Amino acid sequence: MENHIEKTKERSPVVLWILVFLLFLIGLAALISGPMLFLAPDGHLLQWSVSMLEGTPFANFLVPGVILFLLIGIFPVFVGYGLLKKPFWRWPDRINPLKQYHWSFSASWAVGIIILIWIITETVLLGYISVLQPIVGAWGVTLIILTLLPPIRRYCRRYS
């Protein structure tokens, strides 16, 4: 069968479990905080004020909350599942730029990039407001590095 992922009985690499854990953890955090922002766009559920957004393109936290929920919440959880199960789904494969790897490999790398874009944009727009900003930035870099490690590349490689 063309474009299949070789199913072996060997164990998943330890680094895979670390990567999936970090994807699920950041996703869970955003699945909680994203709705707290878009359900209360004034920021009060997180004890924030819309005055923080002065000088940004946003009048309230609605759009940032939706972006946070979708791109840093749902997407990493979806990718973590993809890494664990390696489902053969054609629709994510259509946009996979690295056809020699399962789509979850490219998507995992993309999660790290999205997190970096998010936190850099937040820091540029709002300034340094929390110790979480460098932690989240390091998290994004860590996801990228873990994704690019040889055990993950081997695990996600396609065989024909």
Side-chain angles (χ1 to χ4, degrees):
M1 175 180 191
E2 190 176 330
N3 283 339
H4 75 285
I5 301 296
E6 182 178 274
K7 301 278 186 185
T8 64
K9 294 195 184 216
E10 71 181 74
R11 289 182 176 206
S12 301
V14 172
V15 70
L16 172 74
W17 293 102
I18 295 168
L19 177 58
V20 169
F21 174 76
L22 292 175
L23 286 165
F24 282 155
L25 194 58
I26 194 94
L28 178 62
L31 288 172
I32 293 168
S33 56
M36 292 176 78
L37 291 174
F38 66 73
L39 293 174
D42 65 353
H44 80 272
L45 292 177
L46 292 175
Q47 298 177 351
W48 292 351
S49 168
V50 290
S51 65
M52 294 170 61
L53 297 173
E54 286 180 25
T56 73
F58 306 107
N60 59 41
F61 292 103
L62 176 66
V63 172
V66 170
I67 294 169
L68 180 65
F69 179 74
L70 294 174
L71 295 182
I72 303 181
I74 291 176
F75 186 52
V77 170
F78 169 76
V79 171
Y81 174 82
L83 283 168
L84 281 178
K85 299 295 183 178
K86 293 198 280 190
F88 181 67
W89 294 337
R90 290 190 176 161
W91 62 271
D93 236 1
R94 287 188 184 121
I95 60 171
N96 179 10
L98 302 171
K99 301 298 185 196
Q100 70 271 31
Y101 294 101
H102 187 265
W103 60 262
S104 61
F105 175 81
S106 301
S108 178
W109 183 84
V111 170
I113 297 298
I114 289 167
I115 289 171
L116 285 176
I117 291 169
W118 171 269
I119 207 63
I120 290 167
T121 302
E122 176 184 291
T123 305
V124 166
L125 292 176
L126 302 178
Y128 180 79
I129 58 171
S130 169
V131 69
L132 288 177
Q133 288 168 305
I135 291 170
V136 170
W139 200 299
V141 170
T142 300
L143 291 174
I144 293 167
I145 291 169
L146 290 175
T147 300
L148 296 175
L149 289 176
I152 298 296
R153 289 198 325 261
R154 277 191 302 274
Y155 174 80
C156 292
R157 190 157 239 345
R158 291 185 189 272
Y159 298 93
S160 50

